[in-house]
Amino acid sequence: LVLNCEDVLLIRNRFNHQDGINFAVQALQNNPQMNQFAFGNAIESEESADRLCRSILAHPKIQELGLKCCNQDATFGYSMLKTPLS
């Protein structure tokens, strides 16, 4: 999935959990010009959260990041946010 834009904001889309992660990871991997990324969809597992975080960390140009996907009930929410911020 190649998008020709600098900002990708995936907030409140109606993806099922895995499709949202897959779309986000593909957008991150295939768009090196992107400098802003936001994700606000549900994440169902720690593995999915880890996959998203690794894609964010591997991106060469992201300067602004918004993660609104960590609900308070998720046991992996804190660790997900901690990974890209550390």
Side-chain angles (χ1 to χ4, degrees), residues 39-81:
F39 190 83
N41 299 290
I43 296 178
E44 67 182 6
S45 69
E46 190 167 354
E47 293 80 22
S48 293
D50 182 64
R51 190 167 156 236
L52 179 61
C53 285
R54 288 181 190 277
S55 296
I56 291 166
L57 291 170
H59 196 279
K61 201 175 167 191
I62 289 182
Q63 297 173 2
E64 293 182 47
L65 175 64
L67 296 174
K68 300 175 182 171
C69 49
C70 303
N71 68 37
Q72 295 174 344
D73 297 331
T75 58
F76 57 90
Y78 173 76
S79 61
M80 181 184 167
L81 287 174

Side-chain angles (χ1 to χ4, degrees), residues 2-72:
V2 177
L3 302 172
N4 194 15
C5 57
E6 294 182 359
D7 303 334
V8 174
L9 310 174
L10 302 173
I11 309 231
R12 294 188 204 158
N13 304 102
R14 296 191 179 187
F15 291 117
N16 76 36
H17 300 306
Q18 197 56 46
D19 287 345
I21 293 294
N22 291 340
F23 185 88
V25 167
Q26 287 179 12
L28 285 159
Q29 290 174 343
N30 295 312
N31 295 285
Q33 76 282 0
M34 183 189 332
N35 63 27
Q36 181 180 7
F37 178 77
F39 190 83
N41 299 290
I43 296 178
E44 67 182 6
S45 69
E46 190 167 354
E47 293 80 22
S48 293
D50 182 64
R51 190 167 156 236
L52 179 61
C53 285
R54 288 181 190 277
S55 296
I56 291 166
L57 291 170
H59 196 279
K61 201 175 167 191
I62 289 182
Q63 297 173 2
E64 293 182 47
L65 175 64
L67 296 174
K68 300 175 182 171
C69 49
C70 303
N71 68 37
Q72 295 174 344

